[in-house]
Amino acid sequence: LKEGKEQGLVVHNLSMLNEIHKFEVCTALDVFEHLKNPVETISLIRDALHDNGFLFVDTGDVGGFASILGKRSNPFLYNGGHITFFTKKSIKNIFESNGFRIRKLLTEVDMNNYYITLGRRFPNIPIHARIRRKFISNPNILVLAQKI
């Protein structure tokens, strides 16, 4: 917090969010795998959201195809900074048991299929192949959850 404030950023402790004002959307990209207690964080975010507010999360997927093939050698998942690990099932259970409804949950298999379809529909757009390679080498779960 101190470093952010020194750089002129508006920074608040997560536990203070619901005291400031409510949010319609919260994003946590590549955050949950670094937390000792992600359930507590989900609860704090839930309290900071408006009714029917959304939480968008991107986190590593240890149950995905690329993770299983790469075993523990995947540097994106097993780099020492990641202390909490998720599968599609575990992340779904955590959200649903903490007052959220899953609106969309995608894994690298879902994304791979999406990028294959995208590539077939728009063969002249080269960006899809780079994004697809990045996603498969860094297997993630993308979650869009709505507060209920």
Side-chain angles (χ1 to χ4, degrees):
L1 294 174
K2 181 182 172 186
E3 291 172 2
K5 288 179 182 179
E6 288 172 356
Q7 294 179 19
L9 301 173
V10 177
V11 180
H12 298 285
N13 184 309
L14 187 58
S15 62
M16 295 171 48
L17 283 179
N18 62 351
E19 297 172 12
I20 300 165
H21 55 78
K22 298 286 185 178
F23 298 88
E24 292 181 27
V25 178
C26 179
T27 59
L29 308 177
D30 298 317
V31 171
F32 280 73
E33 60 270 23
H34 299 277
L35 302 176
K36 288 181 183 175
N37 190 345
V39 173
E40 179 183 358
T41 302
I42 289 170
S43 177
L44 290 170
I45 292 171
R46 185 184 182 288
D47 291 343
L49 287 171
H50 281 291
D51 290 343
N52 297 314
F54 289 92
L55 173 56
F56 180 71
V57 172
D58 175 14
T59 190
D61 179 11
V62 296
F65 185 67
S67 298
I68 292 167
L69 283 181
K71 304 281 184 202
R72 295 193 63 87
S73 64
N74 187 316
F76 292 104
L77 288 175
Y78 307 106
N79 65 8
H82 297 166
I83 58 174
T84 305
F85 301 97
F86 302 96
T87 64
K88 186 175 181 176
K89 183 178 179 180
S90 70
I91 199 90
K92 184 176 186 288
N93 288 340
I94 288 169
F95 277 94
E96 289 179 345
S97 64
N98 285 282
F100 284 92
R101 176 182 300 119
I102 300 294
R103 291 297 187 182
K104 197 69 154 175
L105 195 151
L106 300 173
T107 64
E108 85 262 11
V109 171
D110 302 316
M111 293 301 289
N112 188 34
N113 291 338
Y114 170 76
Y115 287 119
I116 288 171
T117 302
L118 183 67
R120 287 181 183 147
R121 280 193 175 163
F122 306 102
N124 297 326
I125 301 176
I127 190 73
H128 78 277
R130 284 184 297 207
I131 295 170
R132 185 172 152 235
R133 279 194 301 273
K134 184 258 180 212
F135 196 90
I136 289 174
S137 65
N138 184 9
N140 280 14
I141 301 171
L142 304 177
V143 182
L144 178 62
Q146 186 174 23
K147 178 180 174 180
I148 52 174

